[in-house]
Amino acid sequence: MLEINLKKKLRHFTVDVSQQIDTETLVLIGHSGCGKSTTLKMLAGLLRPDEGKIDLNGQVLYDQKQKKNLPPEERNIGFVFQNYALFPHLTVTENVAYGISRLPTDEKNKRIQETLSFLGIEALASSKPAMLSGGEQQRVALARALVTQPKLLLLDEPLSALDVSTRSHVRTELKEILKKLSIPTVIVTHDYEDARVLADRVAVMDQGEIIQSGVPREIAQYPANHFVAEFTGTNLVAVEKRQPGLPEYVAFDPWKAEVSREAKNSPYEWYGEIRDIATLGGFVRLHITGSSSFYADIPIEVYEKEGFQHGENIYSRVEENEVRPISISQDRTVRPEQKPKKIPTEFKAKPKKWKWASFAIIFVLAFMVVTYGVTSKSATGEVGSQTEMFALVAANATDPFNKLIVEFEQDHPDVKAEATYAGTQIIRTQLEQGAKADLFLSADLEHIEAVKEQGLIEEFFPVSNNHLVIVVPKENKVGIESLEDLGNKEMKLVIGTDTVPIGRYTRDVIKKATVAYGDGFDEKVMDNVVSLETNVKQVLQKVSLGEAEAGIVYTTDVTPEFLKTVQVIEIPEDLNIVATNYISVVTKAPNKEFAEEFMQMMLSDRGQTVFAEYNYDPLN
Amino acid sequence: MLFLQRAGQFVFFFLVLVIVTYLVLPLISVFISKSPTVLWEKLNGSLAYEALMLSLQTTIISILFIILFCTPLAYCLAKKEFIGKKALEVGLKMPIVAPTAVVGVGLLLVFGQNGFLGGTLSLFDVEIPFTSIAVVLAQIFMASPFYINTARQSFEAVDDQLLAVSRTLGVSAFKTFWRVTIPLALPGLISGVALSWALALGEFGATMMFAGNMPGKTQTLPLAIFTAMESDADVATAISALLLSVSFLVLLFVSLVEKYMKNKLAAN
């Protein structure tokens, strides 16, 4: 026995249900969105009511006053969803076994066998849900719920997932299964036929409230209002002739109505227009609307003899002993007419050929735009017939070279010089791959000699000298004061990797220092190394961020900006190296004369002054 | 009209062909530019082996952490509603668009010696920059958003009704997660793992900045490629081929597993 009394506020109305259910099948019927599924979910514990109480066989499942709300897994209520919700990754047997996995194996197998045979689905035991028909899925879902021996069974729209042809047959089967079970069952549906077949008792629901409940026959014969009548297919009509002793409303079955073109002056007679004519087997159903709207089923012979037409006005009447007087309960607020869904104005697909043609046109337009952009740009580039020079420059010389470009362009307003700055290995590869450069500045003798051997340059000259320094963070927590400290103290040291010039120079310095400071100095220094960077800026950056406690870089890299965060420790000259940049004119230079001139300027005093400004050492 | 139609079709397939070629050719050229024997020789005696081992070790650890920490997060994003969810979603996508060098600096600002947590960590004598931990942290940062996204989508695809029905069958929410949600989301989770694993393998910028470049310690395959680029381009090509092969194997392996799982789910 189930006793419920539940309230829950939904967006447009409040669900308010009080029911008592014995071992019987109660069907909740109503339009979609009337709160019936919400009621079911509250029973199962999947939704929390606002207030009320649920009592199942004396056990309180929910009580707002006691602040008690059992979770679904503790309620022992079987729930079968509309689309059956079988676990797709499990076989039928595994699905059925899902809820009883804690039972001992013997007991479990026995129950599964019993349930499968009860529902007649033993043959499906090892199938996967995807292989089953809708009716089979429903049985598996039922089996899965029943095997846990629930105290209450809830079915949400159990038949609506089936197609029309199988529905009635599955419905009958379901009816038989439910009959054999002796547990309270609540079924939710929007189809009166389901209710009629399955229900011991029907409850009609609208806007969260139960309007009428009773055995199906009672509800069909004495609908409480138009809403209920609409569901059951019963005619509920206002009596037109206001005579004393006649009821205000009567209900009658469509097949009890009689129609004719002439009035017969019967007390239960209505005049109205034929709105629809439907042939249903041996009879024809007329939908008649006058002051009331109702159906009249007439034998097909009568229909053919009289030849009633669509839109014709006729009289309908019912014998006095066939009408059931109804004192109507007020219909709830009239359901707002379902707004007709806006049917999108039919989209006329353009003929397919248009699609491809427009594609071609768009492509051509896009192509024109792009090429226009390019040509107009190159046109402006030629204004004043400027000569464009291009240099490949080792990254360490970025700042002085930029300055030199500015000076050179001041002397030659018709020349536009540009440069790419990168590691020597990279600019060497670019030159080897045929970059159209005028000048090549290498930070490394080996690279420029290799380029010369390939005939890419003819001769090269030293253009600037540089030396290495130690950098430490401004706070210098480790207390590094000299090159020797790099081997004497523990620290996080960052140097260049041995494949780049800075890394090779650093190793040269360490080698010299090992001779000076004694064997094992190099090993002690290398033990302190935490990272081998591929580029000198990375070394400096890490010291500047305070992550590394020391690093070795070119003196020229420590710009005033970096001096805010790092301090420089000089390496003794006899242990230091001379890092020389070499400049050369490329053999196939497009602007060889300007290139020669630029190079000479770099080698001249004027050029050397620029290098000196950026901390480079004098050439001699 | 017929001519335009033909031209349009031609242009359509031309565009498809161009972009496919463009996307595929550079990767293939890594393998075919040099003969396999040359590539093999260059691989031996280079930093490649050490870097490969380090890459595999760090990425496996990263992936384990990503799975452990990001799966619950992805689940929350998929199935729970909470205030600030939208903002969180956008925030979690930021790592995808952030330049990797920025991420490296950001990690330094948090875990570095002078970072927010650096001081606290140094109390426990933990130093993160220039260690393998830093490599793992950088990889987790860069790869987890992709895992979160895919995991979230696969959790979203699990029907809520299945979870509800499991509860009504007497199975608690926690057990439902393991018995229903995880098995059904698993193919998606696995492809998320594959994607983020491949990304972690390729992580470069943040590692370079945050972990440094020390063979055997923090030099992963991408860093080895970059280092080799400075000296011998052929070695760089050889290591690139190695990295691409490893990533390809990871993706292949995982997609086979995913396919197997999907077949298991479908009717057999």
Side-chain angles (χ1 to χ4, degrees):
Chain A
M1 167 115 129
L2 172 72
E3 271 187 80
I4 58 169
N5 179 2
L6 293 172
K7 271 191 189 158
K8 182 163 182 72
K9 202 169 155 35
L10 299 184
R11 203 184 305 171
H12 298 299
F13 56 86
T14 302
V15 176
D16 186 352
V17 181
S18 294
Q19 282 287 310
Q20 234 184 45
I21 304 165
D22 296 313
T23 308
E24 62 177 343
T25 303
L26 171 74
V27 173
L28 274 180
I29 186 168
H31 289 297
S32 48
C34 74
K36 54 194 198 305
S37 289
T38 306
T39 309
L40 224 50
K41 283 188 179 143
M42 289 193 287
L43 283 174
L46 298 169
L47 211 62
R48 196 192 175 102
D50 293 338
E51 56 185 280
K53 192 176 170 180
I54 305 174
D55 185 309
L56 180 59
N57 301 338
Q59 189 196 3
V60 177
L61 305 182
Y62 169 80
D63 189 343
Q64 201 259 332
K65 282 180 199 128
Q66 289 180 40
K67 301 248 180 273
K68 187 169 182 183
N69 185 22
L70 288 186
E73 58 265 29
E74 288 170 28
R75 294 196 175 195
N76 204 357
I77 291 177
F79 199 120
V80 176
F81 280 93
Q82 184 171 359
N83 58 8
Y84 313 132
L86 297 180
F87 301 121
H89 58 304
L90 303 178
T91 64
V92 167
T93 311
E94 287 165 341
N95 261 287
V96 175
Y98 185 87
I100 53 169
S101 56
R102 274 169 301 175
L103 291 181
T105 318
D106 291 348
E107 165 80 9
K108 190 163 72 178
N109 289 340
K110 192 171 144 250
R111 272 218 222 166
I112 294 171
Q113 275 318 311
E114 278 172 10
T115 317
L116 289 182
S117 78
F118 174 70
L119 288 159
I121 47 173
E122 298 106 312
L124 308 174
S126 55
S127 316
K128 281 278 176 76
M131 302 159 66
L132 305 180
S133 72
E136 288 167 339
Q137 289 190 27
Q138 190 194 57
R139 283 161 174 247
V140 176
L142 270 170
R144 184 177 61 180
L146 293 177
V147 82
T148 62
Q149 301 179 340
K151 298 199 184 85
L152 171 68
L153 186 61
L154 307 175
L155 309 179
D156 188 5
E157 300 271 6
L159 297 155
S160 67
L162 303 172
D163 54 62
V164 182
S165 57
T166 52
R167 196 177 296 168
S168 75
H169 140 86
V170 174
R171 190 187 286 131
T172 324
E173 284 178 353
L174 182 60
K175 165 87 181 164
E176 280 160 17
I177 293 165
L178 293 176
K179 221 196 244 168
K180 284 193 250 171
L181 292 172
S182 52
I183 52 172
T185 304
V186 180
I187 300 176
V188 149
T189 182
H190 62 268
D191 185 350
Y192 180 72
E193 195 56 16
D194 292 349
R196 191 181 64 77
V197 174
L198 299 173
D200 295 323
R201 195 153 59 85
V202 178
V204 184
M205 203 169 176
D206 186 30
Q207 307 232 5
E209 280 176 33
I210 290 174
I211 307 169
Q212 188 179 9
S213 95
V215 297
R217 199 183 139 71
E218 188 183 303
I219 291 207
Q221 291 197 334
Y222 298 95
N225 60 20
H226 286 103
F227 184 81
V228 179
E230 183 192 322
F231 263 108
T232 59
T234 312
N235 290 324
L236 176 60
V237 185
V239 178
E240 279 182 355
K241 307 209 164 136
R242 309 294 318 162
Q243 293 170 15
L246 285 189
E248 201 176 341
Y249 287 92
V250 293
F252 63 92
D253 301 318
W255 53 92
K256 297 285 162 46
E258 221 177 78
V259 297
S260 64
R261 289 203 169 86
E262 307 80 31
K264 295 242 171 100
N265 216 9
S266 144
Y268 301 107
E269 190 169 56
W270 298 271
Y271 183 66
E273 183 193 348
I274 301 177
R275 296 290 295 273
D276 188 34
I277 301 171
T279 312
L280 303 165
F283 61 91
V284 172
R285 170 163 285 191
L286 305 178
H287 183 195
I288 298 165
T289 48
S291 59
S292 308
S293 168
F294 59 93
Y295 295 97
D297 292 349
I298 57 171
I300 195 152
E301 306 84 49
V302 177
Y303 169 71
E304 277 169 359
K305 193 173 136 225
E306 298 284 342
F308 291 124
Q309 295 295 320
H310 222 266
E312 200 175 336
N313 282 307
I314 54 170
Y315 291 92
S316 319
R317 75 199 67 78
V318 185
E319 293 296 325
E320 195 164 354
N321 55 353
E322 299 293 357
V323 299
R324 301 179 287 271
I326 303 283
S327 67
I328 198 163
S329 73
Q330 195 53 49
D331 274 331
R332 292 181 58 83
T333 42
V334 180
R335 290 174 63 81
E337 276 296 306
Q338 293 249 320
K339 271 186 197 157
K341 273 188 195 146
K342 260 193 193 164
I343 299 162
T345 41
E346 200 177 328
F347 177 69
K348 272 200 176 164
K350 281 180 188 168
K352 211 179 170 190
K353 47 192 171 183
W354 264 111
K355 194 173 79 185
W356 291 112
S358 52
F359 209 81
I361 293 166
I362 288 169
F363 182 76
V364 169
L365 286 177
F367 186 76
M368 281 164 65
V369 170
V370 170
T371 47
Y372 174 77
V374 170
T375 49
S376 61
K377 207 177 208 175
S378 64
T380 54
E382 276 161 23
V383 168
S385 68
Q386 271 194 330
T387 309
E388 287 187 4
M389 271 183 75
F390 181 61
L392 293 168
V393 180
N396 81 71
T398 305
D399 293 337
F401 201 87
N402 271 334
K403 181 90 185 283
L404 288 164
I405 284 177
V406 172
E407 297 209 352
F408 188 76
E409 283 179 352
Q410 277 171 1
D411 296 352
H412 303 84
D414 50 344
V415 176
K416 174 113 187 67
E418 273 174 1
T420 264
Y421 304 100
T424 304
Q425 166 70 39
I426 291 168
I427 55 171
R428 172 185 158 183
T429 311
Q430 287 173 344
L431 190 65
E432 286 171 350
Q433 299 293 331
K436 283 190 179 126
D438 295 299
L439 288 164
F440 178 68
L441 190 153
S442 166
D444 182 83
L445 187 61
E446 197 186 304
H447 282 307
I448 203 158
E449 278 177 338
V451 173
K452 188 181 171 188
E453 234 162 71
Q454 297 174 50
L456 293 169
I457 59 166
E458 278 154 9
E459 48 183 346
F460 59 86
F461 307 93
V463 67
S464 67
N465 282 343
N466 206 344
H467 68 269
L468 300 190
V469 293
I470 301 167
V471 282
V472 296
K474 203 110 214 193
E475 59 266 40
N476 193 7
K477 280 182 203 151
V478 188
I480 299 158
E481 274 154 17
S482 64
L483 176 61
E484 205 172 354
D485 282 347
L486 295 187
N488 291 342
K489 295 182 173 165
E490 276 198 15
M491 72 194 73
K492 285 192 252 174
L493 176 64
V494 181
I495 62 174
T497 172
D498 60 1
T499 54
V500 295
I502 176 71
R504 282 198 287 274
Y505 288 134
T506 305
R507 280 163 185 74
D508 289 347
V509 168
I510 294 170
K511 211 178 281 171
K512 284 189 196 175
T514 310
V515 177
Y517 300 139
D519 272 351
F521 178 77
D522 48 353
E523 282 165 23
K524 284 188 252 166
V525 173
M526 292 314 282
D527 280 348
N528 280 332
V529 173
V530 293
S531 185
L532 302 173
E533 300 297 334
T534 51
N535 141 1
V536 66
K537 295 278 186 235
Q538 288 277 353
V539 177
L540 196 53
Q541 196 71 255
K542 289 197 164 106
V543 175
S544 154
L545 282 166
E547 295 312 321
E549 286 148 351
I552 297 177
V553 299
Y554 296 117
T555 182
T556 53
D557 286 312
V558 193
T559 57
E561 190 58 33
F562 275 114
L563 279 174
K564 288 177 190 163
T565 50
V566 304
Q567 51 172 304
V568 173
I569 295 163
E570 289 290 341
I571 295 171
E573 203 170 333
D574 53 327
L575 301 181
N576 214 326
I577 50 84
V578 178
T580 308
N581 280 339
Y582 300 92
I583 182 77
S584 62
V585 173
V586 177
T587 312
K588 288 182 183 167
N591 310 296
K592 210 155 184 172
E593 276 165 38
F594 284 122
E596 278 295 339
E597 201 177 319
F598 198 114
M599 185 172 81
Q600 290 309 327
M601 184 193 85
M602 288 171 78
L603 296 172
S604 72
D605 285 349
R606 184 176 164 201
Q608 289 302 303
T609 320
V610 172
F611 275 106
E613 270 175 45
Y614 288 96
N615 265 335
Y616 281 84
D617 302 330
L619 267 182
N620 26 27
Chain B
M1 183 56 81
L2 186 68
F3 168 74
L4 274 180
Q5 186 186 345
R6 278 282 153 79
Q9 277 171 340
F10 174 76
V11 167
F12 181 85
F13 291 112
F14 174 74
L15 292 178
V16 171
L17 191 71
V18 166
I19 191 67
V20 169
T21 315
Y22 172 71
L23 291 177
V24 171
L25 207 55
L27 298 183
I28 291 180
S29 69
V30 168
F31 291 94
I32 58 173
S33 65
K34 293 279 179 319
S35 82
T37 44
V38 171
L39 290 182
W40 183 246
E41 275 167 25
K42 293 282 178 187
L43 269 186
N44 290 323
S46 74
L47 310 161
Y49 178 74
E50 241 180 350
L52 173 65
M53 279 308 152
L54 183 75
S55 269
L56 288 180
Q57 285 162 5
T58 50
T59 49
I60 286 172
I61 296 171
S62 303
I63 284 300
L64 292 179
F65 273 100
I66 288 175
I67 293 172
L68 179 66
F69 286 95
C70 298
T71 310
L73 172 63
Y75 184 80
C76 285
L77 289 173
K79 294 286 182 197
K80 308 255 186 254
E81 289 302 324
F82 49 89
I83 300 165
K85 185 173 166 180
K86 275 273 172 290
L88 185 64
E89 279 169 10
V90 175
L92 287 174
K93 286 200 176 119
M94 281 308 290
I96 298 178
V97 293
T100 54
V102 172
V103 173
V105 173
L107 287 171
L108 277 179
L109 290 177
V110 176
F111 296 103
Q113 301 231 307
N114 308 319
F116 298 134
L117 300 178
T120 322
L121 287 171
S122 64
L123 286 182
F124 300 98
D125 218 21
V126 179
E127 283 184 15
I128 290 177
F130 305 121
T131 63
S132 307
I133 303 174
V135 178
V136 170
L137 288 182
Q139 287 169 349
I140 292 176
F141 194 95
M142 296 311 294
S144 54
F146 292 88
Y147 177 76
I148 294 172
N149 258 349
T150 5
R152 181 204 162 144
Q153 281 166 13
S154 46
F155 281 134
E156 272 170 355
V158 177
D159 190 350
D160 284 338
Q161 286 199 352
L162 294 178
L163 309 182
V165 91
S166 167
R167 302 285 303 277
T168 65
L169 291 168
V171 177
S172 68
F174 180 75
K175 283 192 179 153
T176 300
F177 179 76
W178 290 104
R179 292 180 64 184
V180 180
T181 314
I182 287 288
L184 290 176
L186 202 55
L189 297 182
I190 289 173
S191 69
V193 165
L195 191 61
S196 54
W197 195 344
L199 280 162
L201 273 175
E203 208 307 302
F204 169 69
T207 312
M208 183 92 177
M209 197 69 209
F210 182 43
N213 180 24
M214 192 73 190
K217 214 168 155 199
T218 61
Q219 189 180 67
T220 55
L221 280 176
L223 269 74
I225 294 170
F226 193 71
T227 309
M229 209 71 204
E230 296 287 339
S231 56
D232 188 340
D234 287 350
V235 174
T237 313
I239 305 178
S240 303
L242 178 67
L243 176 59
L244 283 177
S245 308
V246 173
S247 304
F248 178 74
L249 286 178
V250 166
L251 288 178
L252 183 72
F253 169 73
V254 172
S255 72
L256 285 179
V257 173
E258 190 189 344
K259 198 170 174 199
Y260 171 75
M261 306 286 314
K262 277 205 176 133
N263 281 343
K264 252 184 91 181
L265 273 192
N268 27 6

